[in-house]
Amino acid sequence: MTTDYLPSVYQQFLDRFPEVAEAQGNLARTIRERNPFDERTDRLIKLAVAVGAEAEGAVRSNVRKALQQGSSIDEVRAVALAAVTTCGFPTAVAALGWIEEVATAP
């Protein structure tokens, strides 16, 4: 996997704490292998959790990965729209803004 697209703060984390990054990566793989969802669905679920947590970095990361894994921008937006009735309008609107920024980035 190329790291060219990674935010600088994450790249710095990888450089400074490689053993932590490796352990986190192993945990993520173990969890992924344990769940019954295909990769695309798994990514949309992770996006939904990130939206609900109002975790901007995680939203942006999961949007990039969801689009790379074949989800459409409409599907990604639908995840954020679903947050209106569950997490609140401000949370959904913030997530939609982060989604659009990722989707329109060069």
Side-chain angles (χ1 to χ4, degrees):
M1 173 177 84
T2 174
T3 57
D4 296 340
Y5 71 94
L6 296 176
S8 62
V9 68
Y10 185 67
Q11 188 60 57
Q12 289 170 4
F13 169 78
L14 293 175
D15 294 342
R16 288 183 184 145
F17 308 105
E19 67 286 350
V20 176
E22 182 180 354
Q24 188 276 331
N26 289 336
L27 177 60
R29 276 187 294 285
T30 300
I31 292 168
R32 171 70 194 99
E33 291 167 0
R34 174 72 174 83
N35 82 45
F37 303 107
D38 61 79
E39 288 186 34
R40 189 176 152 284
T41 302
D42 181 60
R43 184 59 55 194
L44 292 172
I45 291 168
K46 288 176 182 176
L47 174 59
V49 171
V51 168
E54 297 181 43
E56 180 180 354
V59 169
R60 291 175 180 277
S61 174
N62 283 292
V63 168
R64 279 192 303 273
K65 292 174 183 177
L67 294 173
Q68 289 170 350
Q69 291 177 337
S71 293
S72 71
I73 188 63
D74 287 337
E75 290 171 321
V76 170
R77 287 178 184 132
V79 170
L81 286 174
V84 169
T85 58
T86 308
C87 303
F89 185 74
T91 298
V93 169
L96 286 166
W98 300 328
I99 289 166
E100 293 308 316
E101 289 173 7
V102 170
T104 59

